[in-house]
Amino acid sequence: MIIEKGKDILCIRFVNVGGYDCILEHKNLLIKNGFVWFGKIGNKPTDKALKKMIAENTNYILLKEPVKAYICTFETYQHDQPLEGFPSYYTTEILPNRKFSIWFKILSIKEVKNLNVLNDVVLKSSRSPVLETVRRSMASHFYTVTKKEVVID
C-alpha cells in the first residue's frame, strides 16, 4: 500500500481487552463480511475532519497499540452503534462498562511491519513524528499527515 505525500491519517490508540486480540477479531469479520465496524471509546474525532478525509479520499486510520501499528481504510463512520458487523467481545467485554463514541466501517487492515516508515507521518498541529507523540501523550487520537510518500509493505 502506498500513501501519497500530504494525505491525512487519523491515528487512534487502542489496547486489547479481555484476552481478545483486537486486530485478529476484526480481521476475521472483515474476511467474512467484506467490512468490520471498529468502535472508538472516549473523545471522538470531529465530523468536520472526517468529512474532509472522506471528501478528499484520504480514508486512512492508523491503529496504534503499544508495540504494533496497523493501517486501515474506512468507508464511512457513524455515531450510533451498528446492529451487527463488530466483534462479539465488544458486547461482553466493553459495552457493559463503557460506551463507544464513534464507529468506523473498516474495509482493510494491514500491519505496518516496518515502523520506521511512520517517521514520515507527523501531527498536523506540531509536525512532530506520530510515534514519538503517541508514546508520550495521553490523547486517544491524533490528526496526522504524511510528509513524504509512505510505503506499507
Side-chain angles (χ1 to χ4, degrees), residues 2-108:
I2 297 173
I3 303 174
E4 298 170 17
K5 176 183 176 180
K7 294 293 185 177
D8 292 347
I9 302 174
L10 174 65
C11 178
I12 299 175
R13 293 166 52 146
F14 78 97
V15 294
N16 293 313
V17 294
Y20 291 92
D21 181 326
C22 173
I23 297 300
L24 180 61
E25 295 287 329
H26 284 80
K27 279 186 170 183
N28 288 340
L29 283 174
L30 180 62
I31 291 166
K32 178 182 172 190
N33 300 330
F35 73 92
V36 64
W37 287 99
F38 178 86
K40 183 186 176 315
I41 297 169
N43 292 339
K44 61 186 171 191
T46 66
D47 285 333
K48 180 180 176 183
L50 294 173
K51 287 178 181 174
K52 179 179 181 275
M53 289 176 73
I54 291 169
E56 295 178 357
N57 199 28
T58 60
N59 307 27
Y60 300 108
I61 296 175
L62 176 65
L63 294 178
K64 182 67 181 93
E65 64 177 337
V67 293
K68 292 185 179 182
Y70 304 86
I71 195 78
C72 307
T73 56
F74 72 98
E75 178 180 73
T76 189
Y77 69 95
Q78 64 188 49
H79 300 289
D80 297 325
Q81 179 180 327
L83 299 176
E84 59 186 10
F86 55 87
S88 60
Y89 79 87
Y90 276 27
T91 305
T92 60
E93 301 296 321
I94 301 172
L95 283 168
N97 305 313
R98 309 279 308 266
K99 184 175 168 51
F100 291 95
S101 58
I102 193 165
W103 296 82
F104 294 93
K105 189 175 186 181
I106 303 289
L107 301 180
S108 69

